Amino acid sequence: MSKAANHSAAPSIVAEGLGHSYGEGAVRTTVLQQLSLQFWPGELALVMGASGSGKSTLLATLSGLLRPQFGTVTSLGTSIWSLKPRELERFRFQHCAFVFQNFNLFPALTALEQVALPLRFAGETEAASKRRAQVALDEVGLSARMTLRPAQLSGGEKQRVAIARALVGSPKLLFADEPTSALDTANSEIVIGLLDRIALQHGTTVIAVTHDPRLARHAERIIRLQDGVVLADTPLPAHEVGDPLASSPPHPTGTAP
């Protein structure tokens, strides 16, 4: 199945003139310098760059987690940094999902309970939330592992649970910060393949920060940052999206690290 973002639609995110610094005086470090970008529905964009290039700060400002000192971010037609704190929190809850490098799973909850949790917070019944969680876990290939807790899952499986949890609320925007940094090559391929498929099949805008060049072939676009400036913004040719779980590593027999 060929992958292509929907550039005929309005951009889902428009960032204009973003500027941000840390520290003061002689130790002040500028990490974003008048940076402007647009992102589209159905797009998997990788933000790449060396440590300190500003990529994680960019992701935080785009996702509503860090207010930039300068510039604006318009997401789904809403100027998010004009919102009051509670309005911004509601916007993130309704439209955004997050995947982090350290999985952020609760040790005492099963995979099914982890994925159902956001729906329970949103007020869905236990039965309805579990049904939707089962669908999301099936999409990431973990139906047979849904009763297991994090200590019983491999690193790749933990990240797939985190992706299912992000997916279950049908977000329009998905932000991933170094989602494969703790994974081996095989599991990294599975995780980025899932993010790729989510963008295509759900029309979600997926923005992933990564330093891992192995992931580049899955993206439709690569944005390279250096010292808070866009060094290159490269659209890639449409590519075929296969089943990322087709070559899934076997389940471990013991407790995963």
Side-chain angles (χ1 to χ4, degrees):
M1 185 180 297
S2 268
K3 174 173 172 45
N6 185 8
H7 287 267
S8 63
S12 48
I13 300 177
V14 178
E16 296 183 310
L18 295 182
H20 199 80
S21 301
Y22 296 106
E24 296 181 358
V27 295
R28 186 178 183 87
T29 301
T30 300
V31 291
L32 296 179
Q33 301 189 52
Q34 297 297 307
L35 192 150
S36 297
L37 289 164
Q38 295 184 352
F39 299 88
W40 305 87
E43 176 177 67
L44 170 60
L46 297 186
V47 181
M48 307 185 76
S51 178
S53 61
K55 56 187 186 297
S56 290
T57 300
L58 173 62
L59 196 74
T61 60
L62 294 175
S63 62
L65 295 177
L66 175 69
R67 180 184 292 273
Q69 291 159 336
F70 304 99
T72 62
V73 177
T74 303
S75 296
L76 307 177
T78 298
S79 179
I80 63 171
W81 292 115
S82 299
L83 298 175
K84 296 177 181 178
R86 186 161 291 186
E87 293 172 334
L88 179 56
E89 184 179 336
R90 186 180 307 116
F91 179 90
R92 287 199 307 263
F93 187 79
Q94 291 176 340
H95 302 297
C96 303
F98 300 86
V99 176
F100 300 102
Q101 59 182 313
N102 59 355
F103 317 131
N104 287 0
L105 302 180
F106 296 96
L109 299 184
T110 66
L112 183 65
E113 291 166 339
Q114 309 271 359
V115 177
L117 194 60
L119 301 177
R120 298 290 287 137
F121 278 136
E124 285 206 18
T125 65
E126 181 177 2
S129 63
K130 285 187 174 181
R131 281 196 299 270
R132 290 179 61 182
Q134 288 172 355
V135 172
L137 284 166
D138 183 58
E139 185 161 350
V140 301
L142 289 181
S143 293
R145 313 286 280 172
M146 67 176 61
T147 61
L148 301 184
R149 292 176 172 80
Q152 299 167 296
L153 299 171
S154 71
E157 288 170 338
K158 291 175 189 176
Q159 193 61 293
R160 284 152 66 184
V161 172
I163 291 173
R165 184 176 58 190
L167 180 62
V168 74
S170 302
K172 292 182 173 65
L173 310 172
L174 195 157
F175 302 94
D177 192 355
E178 298 285 4
T180 64
S181 64
L183 306 179
D184 59 22
T185 298
N187 280 299
S188 294
E189 288 281 340
I190 290 170
V191 165
I192 199 68
L194 286 170
L195 296 178
D196 195 18
R197 194 170 69 178
I198 288 168
L200 174 65
Q201 295 185 352
H202 296 267
T204 305
T205 301
V206 181
I207 305 173
V209 161
T210 183
H211 67 279
D212 188 347
R214 298 172 300 179
L215 308 185
R217 70 183 185 87
H218 290 276
E220 185 171 359
R221 176 184 178 193
I222 297 177
I223 299 163
R224 298 189 185 275
L225 296 190
Q226 181 175 300
D227 299 326
V229 175
V230 176
L231 194 64
D233 186 351
T234 308
L236 302 178
H239 59 276
E240 297 298 315
V241 180
D243 182 0
L245 304 173
S247 58
S248 176
H251 297 308
T253 55
T255 299

